[in-house]
């Protein structure tokens, strides 16, 4: 078996293993979430009356389902690393994908952001002091700035990396500007994913296609362990979607949305294909752009452009069934992700 063929089989094997493991432990997590009433609270307020009306029936549905994704990923990382260390001759040792140069940083960022998101979810369920409905935006911004800043400094100072690839033009050294650019990419991606996580199955499907696209690019670049990590995330996302499609058994929560957004941004930087993110994650861009335009229009012109934002809420308020919105945005995401891969391969 050739080297690339072997690596492809290894990655696909990890996708399958991740999917099965996630499916197997989902009932236990679901039982735990329902038993302790770890359900989403729909806030009723003057700032989002349309959202409250559209989603009132979902109140009480458990959140924090994103634990399935990063929990499975972390579990498989640890298990296969232990096997490779203690039983190097075992056939399962080939599945070890812990690699200092390829997977340390995205894994660390995934877990760090997941813990912050988990705290945010818990504060949304069990309000404490001034933290009603979860962490305030300024607190989130500070925490995720720190996560992004650590990644930026790691790239710039530890990896001595300041190269930005521009499709069809080539690579350019941008010096110290790489640090604010890195932070911007992580910030924008994580919060865009968070905005997209508003309908059953929407964020999960969009993320699955985006990660799969970067998995193809990583594989083509020979970053096989990074592609393996992406494969594990994709497998877990597939299993998550099994339970998250309408009507959702549970929601992803900030512990899933924010951690996966951060990980996606860092993977885009690791592959040096960050400028393809707006193409690969076109739906994420549309969702965030709708929010930004709405805020700008209300501040400057005192008028709303959309009935409600992000745009999936506008479509829902316009009378579109939730499943139609989700599936059509999946289609848009699939086409844009494919276009991004093509640009990455030929650009």
């Amino acid at each position: 078996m050739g080297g690339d063929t072997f690596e492809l089989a290894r990655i696909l094997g990890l996708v399958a293993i991740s999917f099965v493991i996630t499916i197997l432990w989902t009932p236990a997590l679901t039982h735990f979430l329902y038993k302790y009433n770890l359900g989403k609270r729909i806030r009723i307020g003057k700032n989002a009356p349309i959202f409250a009306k559209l989603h009132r029936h979902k109140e009480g549905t458990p959140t924090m389902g994103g634990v399935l994704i990063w929990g499975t990923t972390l579990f498989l990382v640890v298990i296969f690393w232990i096997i490779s260390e203690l039983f190097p001759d075992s056939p399962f040792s080939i599945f070890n994908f812990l690699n200092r140069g390829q997977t340390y940083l995205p894994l660390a960022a995934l877990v760090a952001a997941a813990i912050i998101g988990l705290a945010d979810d818990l504060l949304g369920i069990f309000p404490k002091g001034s933290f009603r409905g979860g962490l305030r935006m300024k607190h989130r911004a500070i925490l995720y700035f720190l996560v992004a800043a650590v990644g930026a400094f790691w790239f710039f100072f530890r990896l001595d990396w300041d190269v930005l690839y521009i499709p069809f033009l080539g690579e350019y050294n941008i010096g110290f500007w790489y640090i604010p650019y890195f932070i911007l990419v992580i910030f924008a991606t994580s919060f865009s994913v968070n905005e997209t996580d508003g309908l059953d199955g929407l964020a999960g499907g969009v993320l699955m296609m985006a990660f799969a696209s970067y998995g193809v690019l990583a594989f083509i670049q020979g970053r096989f362990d990074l592609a393996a990590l992406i494969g594990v995330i994709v497998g877990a996302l597939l299993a998550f979607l099994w339970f998250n499609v309408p009507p959702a058994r549970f929601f992803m929560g900030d512990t899933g949305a924010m951690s996966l957004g951060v990980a996606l941004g860092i993977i885009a930087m690791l592959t040096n294909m960050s400028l393809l993110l707006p193409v690969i994650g076109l739906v994420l861009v549309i969702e965030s752009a709708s929010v930004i335009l709405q805020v700008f229009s209300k501040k400057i012109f005192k008028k709303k452009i959309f009935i409600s934002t992000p745009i999936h809420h506008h479509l829902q308020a316009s009378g579109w069934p939730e499943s139609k919105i989700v599936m059509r945005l999946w289609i848009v995401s699939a086409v844009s992700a494919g276009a991004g891969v093509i640009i990455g391969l030929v650009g």
Side-chain angles (χ1 to χ4, degrees):
M1 184 183 294
D4 286 0
T5 303
F6 169 79
E7 291 295 344
L8 179 60
R10 181 172 77 106
I11 293 166
L12 292 177
L14 281 166
V15 173
I17 292 171
S18 177
F19 174 80
V20 171
I21 294 295
T22 307
I23 286 286
L24 288 177
W25 80 281
T26 296
L29 177 65
T30 305
H31 175 74
F32 177 82
L33 294 176
Y34 275 95
K35 180 179 179 180
Y36 293 100
N37 297 315
L38 301 178
K40 186 175 181 64
R41 304 287 186 263
I42 304 297
R43 287 172 285 172
I44 300 176
K46 62 180 181 179
N47 293 327
I50 297 173
F51 170 82
K53 181 180 179 181
L54 292 172
H55 292 260
R56 189 65 181 171
H57 65 285
K58 296 185 179 183
E59 183 164 25
T61 302
T63 185
M64 298 187 294
V67 171
L68 284 170
I69 303 162
W70 63 264
T72 297
T73 301
L74 187 59
F75 171 77
L76 291 179
V77 166
V78 172
I79 287 297
F80 287 128
W81 176 77
I82 290 175
I83 290 174
S84 68
E85 290 293 312
L86 299 181
F87 310 102
D89 295 328
S90 167
F92 293 103
S93 66
I94 64 170
F95 291 117
N96 176 37
F97 55 92
L98 192 60
N99 182 306
R100 182 182 180 85
Q102 296 183 35
T103 59
Y104 270 25
L105 186 57
L107 276 169
L110 177 75
V111 174
I115 292 172
I116 296 171
L118 187 63
D120 194 6
D121 286 332
L122 288 172
L123 286 171
I125 299 170
F126 306 109
K128 189 173 181 61
S130 61
F131 296 106
R132 295 192 175 276
L135 294 172
R136 297 186 183 280
M137 181 57 71
K138 64 179 181 180
H139 297 128
R140 288 186 188 182
I142 292 171
L143 290 169
Y144 286 102
F145 173 83
L146 292 174
V147 173
V150 169
F153 278 87
W154 183 277
F155 265 71
F156 189 75
F157 291 107
R158 293 297 299 273
L159 302 182
D160 196 28
W161 187 261
D162 66 346
V163 177
L164 178 64
Y165 172 70
I166 302 177
F168 302 106
L169 295 179
E171 295 182 338
Y172 295 87
N173 294 89
I174 59 175
F176 189 78
W177 287 105
Y178 190 84
I179 292 178
Y181 174 73
F182 187 105
I183 294 173
L184 175 64
V185 169
I186 305 307
F187 242 83
T189 308
S190 59
F191 281 98
S192 293
V193 172
N194 200 37
E195 296 288 359
T196 306
D197 184 30
L199 296 179
D200 298 354
L202 179 56
V206 171
L207 281 169
M208 184 182 67
M209 296 172 205
F211 274 108
S213 298
Y214 275 105
V216 172
L217 294 173
F219 185 86
I220 296 298
Q221 292 177 359
R223 300 174 187 267
F224 299 128
D225 285 329
L226 179 60
L229 168 63
I230 295 170
V232 169
I233 293 174
V234 168
L237 274 167
L238 276 169
F240 171 83
L241 278 173
W242 183 273
F243 298 95
N244 188 240
V245 292
R249 186 73 174 141
F250 42 64
F251 302 135
M252 183 178 288
D254 283 345
T255 191
M258 299 300 277
S259 61
L260 291 170
V262 168
L264 180 62
I266 287 182
I267 287 169
M269 299 301 290
L270 273 171
T271 56
N272 205 11
M273 293 285 179
S274 58
L275 288 178
L276 292 180
L277 256 177
V279 180
I280 290 174
L282 180 61
V283 170
L284 303 177
V285 174
I286 294 172
E287 295 279 358
S288 290
S290 67
V291 175
I292 294 170
L293 288 172
Q294 184 88 319
V295 172
F296 179 80
S297 181
K298 288 169 69 175
K299 291 286 187 182
I300 304 301
F301 304 109
K302 310 302 180 183
K303 291 184 178 180
K304 293 168 64 175
I305 299 174
F306 305 98
I307 301 173
S308 181
T309 55
I311 198 168
H312 59 256
H313 291 322
H314 170 80
L315 296 173
Q316 195 176 19
S318 299
W320 286 36
E322 183 171 353
S323 57
K324 178 183 285 189
I325 298 170
V326 171
M327 285 187 279
R328 285 186 172 173
L329 288 178
W330 279 0
I331 293 170
V332 172
S333 187
V335 173
S336 66
V341 171
I342 292 170
I343 295 172
L345 295 178
V346 304

